[in-house]
Amino acid sequence: MENKKYCLLRQACYDLEYGMVDGYELLLRELVNDEWQVPTNFSLLSPDFFAELVSEAMEHLPSKSRIMVNLDHE
């Protein structure tokens, strides 16, 4: 997939009890004026396009990672 405007950045989630990464939260960002920002309108992305972004992001995570994605209620 060729996409230059949207990406999912990963943010590690830590297990404080064991002091290790417990999973990753994927954060949707939009490229605006050469800076990654939170999109102003999440509804512009189709479910299929978002699924492609998630699939692509998962390819770059350690295997068997727990992944969390925050979705807008709309």
Side-chain angles (χ1 to χ4, degrees), residues 7-13 24-29 38-39 41-43 45 50-51 53-54 66-74:
C7 76
L8 285 168
L9 303 177
R10 71 179 181 187
Q11 176 173 292
C13 299
Y24 296 92
E25 181 176 17
L26 299 179
L27 307 167
L28 182 65
R29 295 295 181 261
V38 175
N41 187 350
F42 286 79
S43 65
L45 300 176
F50 189 73
L53 284 176
V54 172
R66 213 169 60 125
I67 299 167
M68 293 145 281
V69 178
N70 288 333
L71 301 175
D72 189 72
H73 63 82
E74 293 177 8

Side-chain angles (χ1 to χ4, degrees), residues 55-68:
S55 295
E56 182 181 328
M58 289 174 59
E59 292 176 12
H60 301 284
L61 296 173
S63 64
K64 298 184 181 180
S65 292
R66 213 169 60 125
I67 299 167
M68 293 145 281

Side-chain angles (χ1 to χ4, degrees), residues 34-50:
D34 293 324
E35 291 186 22
W36 291 109
Q37 301 177 5
V38 175
T40 55
N41 187 350
F42 286 79
S43 65
L44 294 177
L45 300 176
S46 71
D48 289 337
F49 181 74
F50 189 73

